[in-house]
Amino acid sequence: SSAASDVYKRQESLYDFAGVDDSEKPFDTIGKKVQHRYKWLILNLATSFLAGSVVLSFQDTLDTVTILSVYIPIIAGMGGNAATQSFAIMVRGLTLGTISLKTAGPAIWREFGAGVINGVIIGAIVALISLVWNGDPILGAVVGVALVGAHIVAGIAGSFIPLFMKHLGKDPAATSTIFISTATDVLGLFFLLGLASIFLV
C-alpha cells in the first residue's frame, strides 16, 4: 500500500542519515553489522584527525590560555547542531522535489542570515556566561564571535553540501553528514583558536 511504501522510504532515509546500510537489520550478526559500518567510521576518523590538526597547530595558544579548552566542545557541538538543522531542511526539500542546486541561491542566503542571527544570540549568551565565570571580557568576545562564525559555517555547509552531493548524483542523506561535520568542526575551531591567538596571547 501507499502508506507502507511511505514508511519504508522514511526508514531508508533514517538508515542513510546514520551512515548505516539499509539492508542491516536489528538482529544481524556482529560481523554483518561491522561490515556495513566500518568504512563510514574510517572516513569519519580521517576527518576527525583533520579537526585535531587544527587544535594541534594552535597548541601554543592553548598552553597559554588553557581555559579555551572548555569552549572547544561548545563550539563543535553548537556548530554541529546548527548544521543538522539546515541539513534536515534541505534533505526534506530534495526529497519533496522543491529545491535543487540551481534554485538554491535564495534558500542558502536565508540559511546564512539565520546563521548570523542565531550565532549572535548564542554567542552573546556564551560571552555573558564567560564574562561572569572568567571575568575576562576579551575572552567572552572571542568566544562569542567564534560562535557567530561557527553558526554561519553551519548554515552554509548544512544547506549547500547536500544540494551539491545530490547534484553529483550521490545520495545526500548518506554522503553529506561527514563533510558537514568536518567543515563545522575545522572552521569553528579555527575561528576560536585563531581569534584567541590574536587577542588573548
Side-chain angles (χ1 to χ4, degrees):
S1 69
S2 176
S5 176
D6 289 343
V7 170
Y8 179 72
K9 287 178 181 177
R10 285 195 293 270
Q11 288 173 336
E12 280 188 318
S13 178
L14 287 171
Y15 275 123
D16 291 338
F17 179 81
V20 177
D21 190 290
D22 61 1
S23 65
E24 185 178 337
K25 303 296 185 295
F27 294 104
D28 281 348
T29 65
I30 293 173
K32 193 168 184 179
K33 289 182 179 293
V34 171
Q35 181 182 2
H36 286 311
R37 300 179 188 180
Y38 80 92
K39 292 178 183 177
W40 285 98
L41 293 173
I42 290 173
L43 180 57
N44 191 50
L45 178 63
T47 59
S48 296
F49 271 109
L50 183 60
S53 69
V54 174
V55 175
L56 185 62
S57 66
F58 287 98
Q59 191 62 53
D60 289 344
T61 300
L62 279 170
D63 289 342
T64 304
V65 191
T66 54
I67 191 64
L68 286 172
S69 61
V70 173
Y71 296 100
I72 289 176
I74 295 174
I75 294 286
M78 293 305 302
N81 288 335
T84 299
Q85 293 174 332
S86 297
F87 167 77
I89 296 298
M90 290 302 159
V91 170
R92 184 183 305 157
L94 287 167
T95 301
L96 297 175
T98 58
I99 194 169
S100 68
L101 186 61
K102 291 180 181 179
T103 63
I108 294 174
W109 174 250
R110 288 167 187 167
E111 289 293 336
F112 168 83
V116 172
I117 295 171
N118 285 328
V120 168
I121 293 169
I122 300 300
I125 292 171
V126 175
L128 181 61
I129 292 171
S130 178
L131 176 61
V132 173
W133 185 20
N134 304 119
D136 187 345
I138 298 177
L139 174 61
V142 163
V143 176
V145 172
L147 278 164
V148 174
H151 279 79
I152 291 172
V153 171
I156 294 173
S159 56
F160 174 77
I161 290 175
L163 293 166
F164 182 67
M165 299 309 292
K166 179 68 173 178
H167 182 73
L168 294 179
K170 306 294 184 182
D171 183 344
T175 58
S176 301
T177 51
I178 289 175
F179 299 108
I180 292 171
S181 62
T182 299
T184 55
D185 287 352
V186 169
L187 292 176
L189 291 174
F190 182 80
F191 291 146
L192 175 66
L193 298 175
L195 289 168
S197 69
I198 295 171
F199 295 106
L200 296 174
V201 177

